[in-house]
């Protein structure tokens, strides 16, 4: 079990050795699976390889795939050196589970091909998330949605991932009326090129050179950019709209009133979020802390007098979601308002760890094959019928 975080004292602590899973027993007893990682040379893909190893996922073969540019290069995994292959439809022959993390275009092109070759895809891009026939799953929020998958399962956006388990605690106890979230997102959320860009701009600043920007429209070093992904006609960015629509789908609340401003900041790893929630029934901060701390994988760090609150640097490298600064939101009446701060490692729980947890759940529940092959009812997103009618 992982130890307590070092910042401040945790008022409530949920141990996060995957408490809702029997993965340890699984790794001892289960017959191994062939797993492919698509985007294996990227920051998320590499983290997926690491998390599979850490959690002792029962791997028969680990097949690493990327574009033709990286085919033939090698990646170290579990003390072995593995050669990266090119992601083509044929590369999925014999694969049980394919973890995709190579961008939306690759997922749109290759995920159906992988399914046609018998693989079940867990996709980390936004390509399939809002398809009403594709389950969008956070492991500790809506694992049962996996049952009806038709070959593709979507892994949520990193900003959604760390928020949904916390909102679930309020949904299930006092009801959610309205949510406003502002994100402070690290550059690793953009990928390897953005990490290099921030580092080079910091070096340029120190040596008095001009800072050149190519990944982002402005220098990210010493800045805050209120633009993540493209702008939509309604004035929101696509990243902000992911937080809106994905939380609604995962929480099964298609009419939830929720708004977001997403901001990129010069942090390497971990996203932070300032959240304001209007609840249906009254709730005190004390009760909210207990509820948050009871969610598997959530740690409450809330000790302001000792400067104890979640920090990006402390969350980096951890699988948990950290919550602190829990207080009454004084702009709402009758104790129906809460404000808090949520931090998590966007590469781990926000991407790789949740994807591997979904693979574990599919394995444990014998749901790796599509619903049609198991006689299970196909998945349908909440509100999807009404929305299409
Ligand atoms: N970073 C995050 O926090 C995060 C969180 C949630 C979701 N995501 C999503 O995860 C995906 C990858 O993100 P990342 O941060 O890991 O990006 P990255 O570091 O830029 O890596 C991209 C990966 O995709 C591969 N790739 C690119 N074009 C390809 C093609 N045509 N065929 C096969 N592979 C191809 C690259 O392989 P080469 O080496 O061959 O170029 C590389 O392995 C994106 O969809 C992103 O939206 C990221």
């Amino acid at each position: 079990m992982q130890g307590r975080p070092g910042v401040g004292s945790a008022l409530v602590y949920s141990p996060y050795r995957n408490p809702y899973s029997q993965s340890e027993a699984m790794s001892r007893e289960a017959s191994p699976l062939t797993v492919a990682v698509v985007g294996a040379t990227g920051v998320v893909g590499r983290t997926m390889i690491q998390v599979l190893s850490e959690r002792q996922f029962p791997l028969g073969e680990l097949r690493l795939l990327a574009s033709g540019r990286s085919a033939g290069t090698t990646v170290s995994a579990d003390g072995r050196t593995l050669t990266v292959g090119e992601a083509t439809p044929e590369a999925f022959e014999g694969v049980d589970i394919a973890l995709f993390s190579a961008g939306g275009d690759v997922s749109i092109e290759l995920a159906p091909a992988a399914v046609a070759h018998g693989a079940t895809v867990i996709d980390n891009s936004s390509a399939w998330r809002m398809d009403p026939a594709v389950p969008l799953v956070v492991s500790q929020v809506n694992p049962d949605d996996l049952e009806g998958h038709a070959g593709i399962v979507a892994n949520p956006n990193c900003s959604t991932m760390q928020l949904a388990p916390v909102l679930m605690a309020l949904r299930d106890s006092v009801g959610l009326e309205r949510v406003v979230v502002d994100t402070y997102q690290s550059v690793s959320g953009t990928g390897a090129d953005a990490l290099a860009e921030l580092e080079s701009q910091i070096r340029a600043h120190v040596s008095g050179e001009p800072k050149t920007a190519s990944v982002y429209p402005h220098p990210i070093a010493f800045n805050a950019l209120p633009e993540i992904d493209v702008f939509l006609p309604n004035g929101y960015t696509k990243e902000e709209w992911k937080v809106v629509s994905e939380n609604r789908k995962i929480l099964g609340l298609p009419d939830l009133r929720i708004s977001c401003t997403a901001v990129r900041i010069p942090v390497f790893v971990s996203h932070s979020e300032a959240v304001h929630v209007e609840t249906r029934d009254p709730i005190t901060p004390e009760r909210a802390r207990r509820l948050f701390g009871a969610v598997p994988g959530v740690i409450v760090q809330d000790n302001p007098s000792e400067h104890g609150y979640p920090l990006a640097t402390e969350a980096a490298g951890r699988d948990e979601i950290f919550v602190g600064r829990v207080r009454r939101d004084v702009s709402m009446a009758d104790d129906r308002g809460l404000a808090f701060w949520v931090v998590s490692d966007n590469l781990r729980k926000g991407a790789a760890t949740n994807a591997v947890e979904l693979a574990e759940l599919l394995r444990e529940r014998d749901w790796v094959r599509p619903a049609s092959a198991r006689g299970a009812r196909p998945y349908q997103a909440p509100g999807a019928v009404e929305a299409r009618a």
Side-chain angles (χ1 to χ4, degrees), residues 36-377:
V37 175
V38 185
T41 54
V43 287
V44 173
R46 285 172 186 270
T47 310
M48 284 172 164
I49 296 165
Q50 190 177 339
V51 173
L52 284 165
S53 165
E54 286 170 6
R55 298 173 76 97
Q56 297 179 288
F57 191 90
L59 289 170
E61 182 191 346
L62 178 59
R63 203 172 293 178
L64 305 186
L65 303 171
S67 76
R69 293 181 296 274
S70 296
T73 61
T74 56
V75 169
S76 299
D78 236 352
R80 292 178 298 162
T81 301
L82 298 175
T83 303
V84 176
E86 183 173 358
T88 61
E90 297 70 35
F92 296 97
E93 196 58 53
V95 169
D96 297 300
I97 294 179
L99 306 178
F100 270 64
S101 192
D105 292 345
V106 175
S107 295
I108 287 170
E109 185 193 334
L110 282 180
V115 174
H117 280 80
T120 288
V121 170
I122 299 173
D123 183 40
N124 203 41
S125 79
S126 61
W128 303 97
R129 288 181 191 147
M130 296 317 297
D131 185 321
V134 172
L136 175 66
V137 182
V138 180
S139 64
Q140 63 267 67
V141 177
N142 56 335
D144 295 344
D145 286 352
L146 290 170
E147 183 173 12
H149 78 83
I152 300 177
V153 170
N155 208 38
N157 173 265
C158 37
S159 303
T160 302
M161 195 84 79
Q162 66 188 68
L163 183 59
V166 181
L167 293 181
M168 173 182 72
L170 299 176
R171 176 199 68 183
D172 293 348
S173 54
V174 288
L176 293 168
E177 287 289 335
R178 179 168 181 253
V179 179
V180 177
V181 52
D182 298 326
T183 71
Y184 304 70
Q185 299 185 214
S186 69
V187 297
S188 59
T190 312
D193 292 348
L195 286 162
E197 180 154 306
L198 173 57
E199 188 160 335
S200 77
Q201 289 175 1
I202 293 169
R203 288 184 195 283
H205 179 85
V206 170
S207 54
E209 310 276 328
K211 295 191 268 301
T212 47
S214 57
V215 174
Y216 300 115
H218 308 280
I220 181 63
F222 315 104
N223 224 343
L225 308 181
E227 177 182 353
I228 301 184
D229 211 330
V230 297
F231 283 102
L232 301 174
N234 65 4
Y236 283 79
T237 62
K238 196 171 167 196
E239 181 82 356
E240 292 161 350
W241 206 248
K242 288 175 198 167
V243 173
V244 169
S245 53
E246 292 180 22
N247 273 290
R248 286 176 175 161
K249 180 171 176 178
I250 293 160
L251 294 166
L253 299 172
D255 300 320
L256 178 66
R257 287 190 293 144
I258 174 167
S259 183
C260 177
T261 298
V263 181
R264 188 73 68 192
I265 59 166
V267 159
F268 283 108
V269 176
S270 299
H271 293 348
S272 305
E273 298 179 344
V275 189
H276 295 258
V277 177
E278 182 181 348
T279 58
R280 183 191 62 221
D281 301 327
I283 183 165
T284 62
E286 295 72 28
R287 184 171 175 218
R289 288 187 198 100
R290 284 196 301 277
L291 291 168
F292 294 154
V295 177
V298 174
I299 292 179
V300 176
Q301 276 185 324
D302 206 358
N303 192 6
S305 64
E306 292 179 32
H307 314 288
Y309 35 71
L311 291 173
T313 47
E314 298 288 324
R318 301 287 301 256
D319 283 322
E320 302 89 340
I321 297 159
F322 299 88
V323 187
R325 298 290 322 280
V326 184
R327 61 204 189 277
R328 284 188 174 80
D329 183 328
V330 297
S331 71
M332 281 170 259
D334 307 325
D335 281 343
R336 293 191 305 106
L338 278 180
F340 47 88
W341 179 246
V342 183
V343 181
S344 189
D345 183 326
N346 52 293
L347 300 175
R348 293 185 70 96
K349 181 61 187 175
T353 299
N354 195 72
V356 174
E357 287 170 345
L358 300 190
E360 289 172 349
L361 284 162
L362 290 173
R363 179 66 206 235
E364 288 160 20
R365 299 187 180 190
D366 204 11
W367 291 345
V368 174
R369 291 173 306 138
S372 58
R374 292 178 272 114
R377 180 198 287 231

